[in-house]
């Protein structure tokens, strides 16, 4: 095998890599190579691949064989391109050493600037540029960044020294009054000389050796530091919250330095090619004069808006506007750009797909289709489940403006829209702990840092005293669609006392505040939040989604209210109506069911059931009405009976009195019901085998309701579902009885009503014997909650104690995601695939769906599409998410079928994971072909419109 290439160079208009190589070169690296290729002004450099990072950790943090030589070779080339040499005391080459993973993790990993400066070369830089202050400023930044990121010295140590110089010397020299801030730019040459001495002393004290004066040693140390930052806690946490798995590591970009800190005609900026909040097609960004690197993002000084740059330096601004247009056309997506201006000359330092708010995600996707930049299919792929969640985020109820005015506290910069209310906490750890206890919190900080991601994620909203719209807090919160207000400079935060003040008003930890991210307004107290109307772009995009998808989306709903809500969100029926929830609805009902349970002869049981009948009938009428014209799957009683009886003495005494039996008898009956392992006990259809009269009552209620509603002109499509079946004979008994009861009622009512009887597949045995079961069942619904716990042998209610370790990549890392949230496609998925295939082998038109939690998880929904299900069912508010995932499944499938060559790689492997075993002997097939084998052998009932392209005239070649 030829040796792997570890390093890729770019510069002077030529690049060894390109924009498609994100996986290998990281997002930042791929962007730098691509921008170089298309002729943008990018400083030269080279990229060390993500594979090297992987090897680095696999070998106990050692450089792989040959890397050192390769880096040296590319460094030589960089020196040739730039005409400067690393460490040259007369005119040194300086570089930045930058992290950059395949997916953007803003601020999570490290970057070191101005590398190559030493005591000797800093004077060379000073002489060459004729700006000694600038050279010293660069050196102090380098010592601090190298000392903290590569060597692990607390950054605060350096900050303290800097503050000391400012306080003791700069303030006095310039006569700055005590209530005014001393800026970094106020510090002069002598003071910087002094500061560098202090920095080097700090370094020596901690590391026990002098600050390295050999640039090669610096470079190696910095590369190691970037690799190590991949596994830093904050980066690992970020990947966990973002559910980023299977990424090799970070690349390292070594890039020639350009300088935004050379004075008034220099500066550094961050911008987006469209407004990342509203999605509007306007140029958007921040610029900081005479600054370097992180100064903008860290919110050290408040930046100016991009429009002001137009006034300061119209030439640079115009160039930037051209680049904006060029890059959007090139990448066909909104870009997030970083640039630096060195004495009036523009350099591009980064471009990546920009993070955006949920509203912006819809608007940009739809606008770009209209502009002819992308196809509808691409637009669909660009929306994430979290964007849909974000669209429905609450807003402040503005119906009572006087109250709003009274509650108003202060206004900051509106960084991420939406509204949030919660109790004030002042650090990320508290945010996580309080949230874990079920509290809603607002994280209030002077500024946020990447260490805070866990707490930021746990909070309802984020409020910071510093920063602009492109600061760390804003960028991270935007990615999550989380309400965020930054740059609220009037906040006077005292972490120690746990308070913040705005003028006279003092807010304590634990007090409620409310944020309006749309206006930047902060309010005292807990204001009422309301659901917004989804924007037009949402409706447009979802109409494309519904056109393309073939998988139906139903909902799990137990009440007419939920049913109606789900229908508004696009549900096409009910996939699971849990009848037992109705029993808890009122005192009267729960009493009747309890009476039924403690009864010890058939007659009294029937008497109690008769009391429940009118309630259930009425409930079903409401549900059928809400679902007029759509199928409704109703599951017969499922949980073990002991879940319905009181377990405390007081409750048992009350029950005894209400029903008119002795307390002892109630106690005795409750004891009888006790089970050692209720999960595997007397539940599901086993109850109906023992007590068929329960089934009689429920079927009577369903069919009576159906007949009543039909008479009223409502179209009713009932599907009666028998849960937890393990055998066809068992199912046959219950199916026969169901039909006897139902048919008698229908005959008596004199109307025509068709209904279905089917079963849940949720015990492995049922999946294994699916061909026998399908001779009786007219439909299958995979109950993947139970099927997962029984297949894995893990109790869902107890797994919380240890399952997180199985998902944690630093611990066991057995599962990529919690199998109770995202379907275990390998194990449980195999049973599902087999169940469908066997079922349809005897009943080709068998209708198949899923009704576990997984019906609302995008990855699982896509799986359901691939294995040929007819529908998924999810909780009402996840219905739009499932619709989107179902459409994405079609687009992904068509895309992988179109690229036969590419199927030798990853997509084909993914597809074979869902294909039944026997197809693997047929060799590798495109994903869709494999799916067709698995479904078509059995599935004439499988949806037929698979993969029909949308509006193909917009398709990109
Ligand atoms: P992040 O991934 O956190 O954005 P970057 O690697 O982009 O980190 O570096 C952060 C900032 O450092 C950049 O936005 C840029 O301002 C500055 N920077 C990085 N490399 C250079 C360089 N070669 N010349 C000038 N500034 C640089
Ligand atoms: Mg950057
Ligand atoms: Mg179940």
């Amino acid at each position: 095998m030829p040796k792997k290439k570890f390093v890729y160079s770019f510069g002077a208009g030529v690049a060894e890599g390109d924009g498609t190589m994100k996986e290998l070169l990281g997002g930042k690296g791929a962007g730098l190579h691509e921008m170089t290729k298309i002729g943008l002004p990018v400083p030269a450099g080279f990229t060390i691949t993500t594979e090297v990072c992987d090897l680095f950790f696999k070998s106990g943090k050692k450089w792989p064989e040959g890397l050192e030589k390769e880096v040296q070779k590319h460094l030589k080339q960089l020196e040739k391109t730039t005409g400067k040499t690393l460490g040259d005391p007369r005119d040194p080459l300086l570089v930045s050493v930058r992290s950059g993973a395949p997916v953007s993790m803003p601020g999570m990993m490290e970057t070191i600037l101005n590398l190559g400066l030493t005591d000797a070369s800093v004077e060379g830089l000073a002489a060459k540029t004729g700006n000694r202050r600038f050279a010293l400023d660069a050196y102090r930044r380098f010592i601090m960044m190298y000392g903290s990121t590569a060597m692990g010295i607390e950054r605060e140590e350096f900050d303290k020294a800097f503050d000391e110089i400012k306080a003791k010397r700069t303030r006095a020299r310039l006569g700055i009054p005590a209530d005014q801030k001393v800026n970094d730019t106020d510090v002069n040459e002598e003071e910087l000389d002094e500061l560098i001495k202090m920095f080097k002393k700090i370094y020596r004290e901690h590391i026990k050796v002098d600050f390295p004066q050999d640039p090669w040693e610096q470079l190696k140390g910095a590369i190691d530091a970037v690799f190590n930052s991949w596994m830093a806690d904050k980066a690992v946490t970020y990947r966990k919250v973002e559910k980023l798995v299977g990424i090799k590591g970070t690349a390292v970009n070594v890039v020639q330095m350009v300088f935004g800190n050379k004075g008034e005609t220099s500066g550094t900026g961050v911008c987006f090619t469209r407004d990342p909040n509203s999605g509007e097609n306007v140029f958007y960004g921040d610029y900081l004069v005479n600054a370097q690197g992180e100064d903008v993002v860290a919110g050290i000084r408040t930046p100016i808006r991009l429009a002001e740059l137009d006034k300061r330096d119209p030439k640079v601004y115009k160039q930037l506007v051209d680049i904006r247009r060029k890059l959007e056309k090139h990448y066909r997506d909104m870009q997030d750009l970083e640039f630096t201006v060195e004495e009036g000359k523009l350099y591009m330092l980064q471009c990546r797909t920009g993070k955006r708010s949920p509203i912006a995600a819809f608007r940009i996707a739809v606008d770009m289709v209209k502009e002819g930049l992308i196809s509808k299919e691409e637009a669909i792929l660009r929306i994430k489940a979290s964007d849909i969640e974000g669209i429905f985020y609450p807003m402040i109820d503005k119906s009572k403006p006087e109250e709003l005015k009274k509650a108003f506290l202060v206004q900051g910069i509106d960084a991420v829209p939406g509204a949030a209310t919660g109790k004030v906490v002042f650090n990320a750890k508290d945010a996580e702990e309080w949230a874990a206890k079920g509290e809603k919190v607002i994280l209030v900080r002077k500024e946020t840092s990447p260490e805070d991601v866990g707490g930021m994620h746990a909070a309802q909203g984020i409020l910071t005293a510093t920063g602009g719209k492109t600061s760390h807090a804003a960028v991270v919160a935007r990615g999550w669609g989380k309400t965020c207000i930054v740059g609220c400079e009037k906040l006077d935060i005292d972490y120690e006392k746990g308070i913040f003040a705005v003028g006279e008003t003092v807010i304590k930890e634990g007090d409620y505040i409310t944020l309006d991210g749309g206006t930047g307004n902060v309010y005292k107290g807990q204001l009422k939040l309301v659901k917004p109307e989804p924007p037009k772009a949402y409706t447009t995009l979802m109409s494309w989604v519904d056109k393309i998808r073939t998988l139906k989306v139903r909902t799990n709903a137990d009440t007419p209210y939920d049913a109606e809500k789900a229908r508004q969100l696009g549900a096409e029926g009910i996939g699971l109506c849990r009848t037992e929830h109705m029993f808890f609805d009122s005192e009267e009902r729960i009493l009747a069911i309890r009476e039924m349970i403690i009864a010890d002869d058939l007659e009294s049981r029937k008497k109690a059931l008769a009391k429940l009948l009118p309630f259930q009938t009425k409930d079903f009428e409401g549900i059928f009405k809400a679902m007029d014209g759509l199928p409704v799957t109703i599951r017969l009683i499922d949980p073990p009976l002991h879940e319905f009886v009181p377990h405390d003495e007081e409750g048992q005494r009350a029950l005894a009195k209400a029903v008119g039996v002795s307390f002892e008898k109630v106690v005795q009956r409750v004891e009888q019901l006790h089970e050692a392992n209720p999960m595997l006990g007397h539940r599901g259809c086993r109850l109906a085998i023992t007590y068929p009269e329960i089934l009689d009552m429920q079927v009577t209620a369903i069919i009576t309701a159906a007949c009543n509603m039909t008479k009223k002109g409502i179209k009713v499509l009932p599907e009666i579902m028998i849960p937890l079946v393990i055998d066809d004979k068992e199912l046959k008994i219950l199916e026969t009885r169901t039909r006897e009861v139902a048919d008698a009622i229908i005959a008596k009512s004199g109307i025509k009503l068709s209904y279905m009887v089917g079963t849940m597949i949720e015990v492995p045995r049922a999946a294994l014997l699916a061909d026998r079961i399908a001779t009786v069942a007219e439909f299958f619904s995979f109950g993947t909650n139970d099927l997962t716990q029984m297949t894995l042998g893990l109790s869902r209610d107890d797994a919380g104690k240890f399952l997180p370790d199985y998902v944690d990549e630093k611990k066991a890392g057995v599962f990529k995601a919690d199998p109770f949230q995202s379907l275990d496609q390998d194990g449980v998925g195999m049973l599902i695939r087999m169940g469908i295939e066997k079922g349809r082998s005897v009943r080709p038109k068998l209708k198949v769906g899923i009704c576990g939690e997984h019906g609302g998880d995008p990855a699982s929904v896509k799986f359901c599409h691939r294995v040929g299900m007819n529908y998924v069912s999810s909780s009402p508010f996840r219905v739009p998410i499932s619709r989107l995932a179902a459409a994405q499944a079609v687009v992904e499938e068509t895309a992988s079928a179109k690229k036969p060559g590419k199927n030798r790689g990853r997509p084909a492997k993914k597809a074979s994971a869902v294909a039944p075993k026997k197809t693997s002997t047929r060799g590798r097939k495109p994903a869709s072909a494999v799916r067709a084998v698995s479904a078509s052998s059995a599935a004439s009932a499988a949806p037929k419109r698979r993969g029909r392209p949308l509006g193909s005239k917009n398709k990109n070649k």
Side-chain angles (χ1 to χ4, degrees):
M1 217 173 73
K3 203 187 93 30
K4 277 239 165 86
K5 185 171 165 63
F6 288 147
V7 186
Y8 290 72
S9 275
F10 58 91
V14 188
E16 290 187 283
D18 63 44
T20 64
M21 296 165 75
K22 269 192 187 168
E23 202 118 336
L24 190 65
L25 303 179
K28 194 180 295 167
L32 289 167
H33 286 257
E34 187 74 16
M35 285 196 294
T36 304
K37 272 208 154 119
I38 63 173
L40 301 190
V42 178
F46 56 84
T47 308
I48 304 172
T49 67
T50 55
E51 282 174 0
V52 176
C53 182
D54 191 35
L55 293 171
F56 177 79
F57 285 107
K58 280 187 178 147
S59 65
K61 301 196 181 182
K62 277 201 285 293
W63 282 26
E65 173 89 40
L67 176 63
E68 182 149 348
K69 261 216 177 114
E70 220 178 310
V71 171
Q72 274 164 352
K73 193 183 97 192
H74 288 265
L75 179 61
K76 278 263 134 46
Q77 189 181 330
L78 178 60
E79 291 178 335
K80 222 175 115 194
T81 311
T82 59
K84 294 174 194 271
T85 311
L86 199 65
D88 183 345
R90 288 155 307 164
D91 182 16
L93 166 68
L94 301 190
V95 293
S96 61
V97 180
R98 317 167 63 187
S99 57
V103 283
S104 120
M105 299 168 55
M108 292 304 136
M109 290 177 303
E110 302 304 347
T111 283
I112 293 173
L113 303 182
N114 310 321
L115 187 140
L117 282 174
T118 60
D119 293 350
S121 69
V122 73
E123 298 304 338
L125 182 68
K128 185 82 194 174
T129 57
N131 189 343
R132 189 161 181 275
R133 190 203 171 275
F134 147 74
L136 294 176
D137 184 57
Y139 198 23
R140 65 100 186 158
R141 288 172 192 264
F142 175 48
I143 300 173
M144 163 144 102
M145 279 194 254
Y146 190 87
S148 59
T149 57
M151 307 311 289
I153 304 169
E154 286 289 330
R155 208 191 147 108
E156 263 191 9
E157 302 256 342
F158 296 108
D159 285 339
K160 261 194 260 158
F162 202 5
D163 285 342
E164 198 182 312
I165 289 279
K166 283 183 192 164
K168 287 205 180 132
R169 302 202 34 189
T170 320
R171 188 179 289 282
R173 176 174 53 79
L174 293 173
I176 298 172
D179 61 344
Q180 263 176 45
K181 211 169 122 191
V182 181
N183 281 323
D184 293 3
T185 40
D186 295 333
V187 180
N188 74 2
E189 233 177 278
E190 289 76 48
E191 287 153 6
L192 283 171
D193 266 324
E194 176 76 24
L195 181 65
I196 288 166
K197 276 197 204 120
M198 288 165 77
F199 275 12
K200 287 202 294 196
K201 195 166 147 239
I202 294 172
Y203 189 94
R204 198 177 325 110
E205 271 166 12
H206 283 84
I207 312 298
K208 311 291 176 226
V209 293
D210 282 329
F211 185 75
Q213 296 295 316
D214 171 5
W216 176 247
E217 186 192 329
Q218 294 175 352
L219 184 59
K220 282 205 298 190
I223 291 171
D224 280 353
V226 170
F227 283 149
N228 281 322
S229 69
W230 175 250
M231 278 297 174
D233 285 342
K234 59 182 175 181
V236 173
T237 311
Y238 186 84
R239 291 199 290 278
K240 200 150 92 196
V241 225
E242 289 276 287
K243 298 202 176 73
L244 301 172
V245 287
I247 309 167
K248 285 215 174 95
T250 179
V252 184
N253 298 287
V254 177
V255 185
Q256 181 187 13
M257 284 302 300
V258 290
F259 300 101
N261 52 339
K262 267 190 175 171
E264 291 298 300
T265 55
S266 303
T268 184
V270 181
C271 55
F272 293 85
T273 56
R274 299 187 187 212
D275 185 328
N277 284 326
S278 68
E280 201 188 332
N281 193 356
V282 293
F283 204 13
Y284 181 102
D286 293 333
Y287 182 74
L288 205 55
V289 178
N290 193 13
Q292 192 179 38
E294 312 285 56
D295 295 357
V296 190
V297 183
I300 291 174
R301 278 178 281 147
T302 303
I304 61 172
R305 313 308 326 268
L306 213 50
E308 270 175 70
L309 177 63
D310 189 13
K311 288 183 210 134
R312 283 187 78 97
D313 195 336
K315 202 183 105 241
V316 163
Y317 183 77
K318 191 182 163 296
Q319 205 185 346
L320 207 54
V321 169
D322 283 345
I323 288 174
R324 168 196 179 209
R325 196 176 310 119
K326 196 163 176 182
L327 282 176
E328 263 213 352
K329 240 185 147 163
H330 188 73
Y331 281 105
R332 303 182 305 122
D333 201 354
M334 189 263 268
Q335 299 295 302
D336 163 354
L337 311 175
E338 294 178 3
F339 63 95
T340 281
V341 180
E342 179 176 340
E343 298 183 322
K345 187 166 171 9
L346 174 69
Y347 292 95
M348 300 309 296
L349 291 174
Q350 189 171 321
C351 85
R352 64 181 164 202
T353 310
K355 290 206 186 281
R356 59 204 76 182
S357 76
I359 289 172
F362 280 97
R363 169 125 187 220
I364 292 171
V366 170
D367 281 355
M368 285 191 167
V369 171
K370 292 188 177 148
E371 290 161 28
L373 270 178
I374 60 173
S375 68
K376 287 177 182 168
E377 285 83 353
E378 280 172 296
I380 288 170
L381 288 184
R382 284 187 186 175
I383 303 296
K384 294 178 293 181
S386 55
D387 294 329
I388 293 186
E389 282 168 11
I391 286 287
F392 293 99
Y393 279 164
M395 313 288 264
I396 290 182
D397 178 8
K398 292 186 176 157
S399 59
K400 294 196 184 110
E402 331 76 56
E403 277 181 25
L404 218 56
K405 216 163 149 193
K406 253 201 285 172
F408 178 80
L409 187 60
V410 64
Q411 186 176 31
I413 299 170
D414 50 325
V416 185
T421 184
K423 293 179 175 173
V424 169
V425 292
F426 289 101
N427 64 66
K429 207 172 131 254
D430 285 348
E432 282 186 81
E433 283 173 10
W434 291 38
K437 281 185 257 157
E439 298 270 19
K440 289 189 175 321
V441 300
I442 305 284
L443 180 62
V444 181
R445 302 275 311 157
K446 287 178 188 159
E447 76 275 295
T448 65
S449 77
E451 276 81 11
D452 297 333
V453 273
M456 293 168 72
H457 194 254
Q460 302 293 311
I462 298 151
L463 172 63
T464 70
T466 64
K469 288 196 183 186
T470 52
S471 67
H472 174 263
V475 171
V476 172
R478 188 170 300 124
W480 294 329
K482 189 166 299 251
T483 303
C484 177
I485 298 175
V486 298
C488 198
E489 286 172 0
K490 287 192 188 140
L491 288 194
D492 190 358
I493 303 177
D494 188 332
Y495 288 137
E496 236 130 73
K497 289 198 189 129
I499 55 168
F500 76 77
V502 178
E504 304 284 272
T505 317
V506 175
I507 305 282
K508 297 187 295 294
E509 179 189 81
D511 289 352
Y512 270 103
I513 58 169
T514 303
L515 308 182
D516 183 349
T519 58
N521 285 350
V522 182
Y523 299 92
K524 284 174 289 194
Q526 190 178 14
L527 298 190
K528 188 174 162 211
L529 305 183
V530 291
K531 293 261 165 186
E533 276 296 306
K536 228 176 110 219
Y538 168 84
T539 318
T540 307
L541 193 123
M542 291 308 279
S543 73
W544 300 340
V545 158
D546 289 340
K547 241 183 228 155
I548 198 168
R549 75 189 158 89
T550 53
L551 191 65
K552 296 259 181 213
V553 177
R554 297 193 191 180
T555 190
N556 300 349
D558 309 329
T559 64
Y561 176 80
D562 278 355
E564 206 149 306
K565 205 168 60 188
R567 198 170 181 164
Q568 283 160 10
L569 293 169
E572 297 162 297
I574 290 181
L576 175 63
C577 172
R578 306 176 188 83
T579 50
E580 60 273 9
H581 285 188
M582 299 171 175
F583 298 144
F584 289 102
D585 208 52
S586 70
E587 274 303 306
E588 235 176 329
R589 294 177 183 209
I590 185 77
L591 190 65
I593 184 100
R594 285 172 171 170
E595 188 179 333
M596 186 277 288
I597 292 168
I598 57 166
D600 48 8
D601 60 89
L602 183 63
E603 272 325 297
S604 26
R605 234 184 345 264
K606 278 191 169 166
K607 218 179 86 209
L609 283 168
K611 292 186 191 166
L612 283 170
L613 181 64
F615 292 123
Q616 288 233 297
T617 311
K618 217 164 145 262
D619 287 342
F620 291 136
E621 286 177 355
I623 288 173
F624 288 143
K625 197 168 150 215
M627 283 287 150
D628 186 2
L630 298 175
V632 176
T633 306
I634 296 161
R635 179 179 71 182
L636 301 184
I637 191 167
D638 183 61
L641 295 182
H642 66 81
E643 281 189 17
F644 297 102
V645 293
H647 290 272
D648 60 311
E649 191 185 319
E650 199 186 330
Q652 289 171 349
R653 283 197 189 280
L655 177 59
K657 201 168 150 219
V659 181
V661 296
S662 72
F663 169 63
E664 288 69 30
K665 185 167 169 207
V666 172
V667 173
Q668 184 202 5
R669 187 71 183 123
V670 171
E671 270 166 19
Q672 269 173 9
L673 288 172
H674 175 78
E675 290 176 322
N677 201 341
M679 188 179 104
L680 307 175
H682 195 192
R683 55 180 286 226
C685 67
R686 252 71 76 208
L687 291 169
I689 292 283
T690 316
Y691 309 113
E693 53 280 8
I694 302 181
L695 177 144
D696 293 350
M697 185 278 286
Q698 291 202 297
V699 173
T700 304
I702 295 166
I703 298 298
T704 308
C707 290
N708 292 347
M709 288 298 105
T710 307
K711 280 181 194 154
K712 291 200 171 147
I714 285 163
K715 186 149 189 243
V716 187
L717 302 163
E719 302 179 349
I720 299 171
M721 180 156 80
I722 298 172
L724 223 65
V725 158
I726 51 177
D727 191 89
D728 53 311
K729 200 164 167 195
E730 175 192 45
L731 180 61
K732 186 73 204 165
I733 295 168
L734 300 172
E735 184 246 7
T736 307
R737 185 136 184 164
T738 299
R739 289 195 187 280
E740 277 167 13
V741 174
D743 293 345
I745 297 168
I746 295 169
K748 222 167 111 193
S749 80
I751 55 146
K752 266 183 79 171
L753 174 79
S754 49
Y755 64 94
M756 291 173 89
V757 183
T759 184
M760 270 174 103
I761 304 288
E762 49 187 336
V763 180
R765 191 176 196 267
L768 295 168
L769 302 183
D771 47 351
R772 273 163 43 184
I773 289 176
T775 59
V776 187
E778 285 179 290
F779 65 86
F780 282 179
S781 175
F782 285 88
T784 46
N785 295 345
D786 267 313
L787 191 58
T788 298
Q789 61 177 351
M790 295 201 209
T791 302
L792 271 65
L794 300 176
S795 146
R796 178 162 59 133
D797 303 317
D798 303 308
K801 295 189 190 112
F802 55 88
L803 202 54
D805 287 352
Y806 274 68
V807 183
D808 192 333
E809 62 174 317
K810 271 194 166 174
K811 288 202 173 146
V814 174
F815 296 115
K816 282 191 182 143
D818 180 339
F820 290 105
Q821 278 165 26
S822 193
L823 194 74
D824 159 35
Q825 298 185 16
D826 296 344
V828 178
M830 187 182 284
L831 281 173
I832 293 176
R833 236 170 18 256
M834 178 194 295
I836 296 175
E837 200 172 340
K838 286 186 151 228
R840 287 193 179 143
S841 72
V842 299
R843 191 188 287 267
K845 294 224 156 132
L846 183 75
K847 204 180 206 183
V848 181
I850 185 177
C851 63
E853 288 303 307
H854 304 97
D857 169 67
S860 312
V861 171
K862 291 178 186 177
F863 173 85
C864 293
H865 169 85
R866 291 197 299 267
V867 297
M869 284 196 193
N870 301 79
Y871 70 86
V872 297
S873 188
S874 61
S875 53
F877 69 95
R878 295 199 71 84
V879 165
I881 292 171
S882 302
R883 285 159 65 201
L884 173 72
Q888 289 177 338
V890 174
V891 179
E892 283 164 12
E893 189 175 58
T894 335
S896 66
K898 268 196 199 140
K899 282 188 249 163
K902 286 259 160 90
N903 274 303
R904 307 241 162 261
R906 280 196 336 136
K909 250 198 241 145
K910 252 197 220 147
S912 66
V914 304
K917 265 280 166 299
K918 64 174 185 190
T919 62
S920 62
T921 54
R922 299 170 189 223
R924 288 210 182 130
K925 287 176 186 297
S928 62
V930 174
R931 198 210 56 77
V933 170
S934 76
S936 71
S937 58
S940 53
K944 291 190 189 69
R945 289 165 33 222
R946 236 162 251 293
R948 191 185 68 187
L950 270 176
S952 33
K953 63 175 186 298
N954 264 327
K955 278 220 94 79
N956 286 284
K957 308 264 150 60

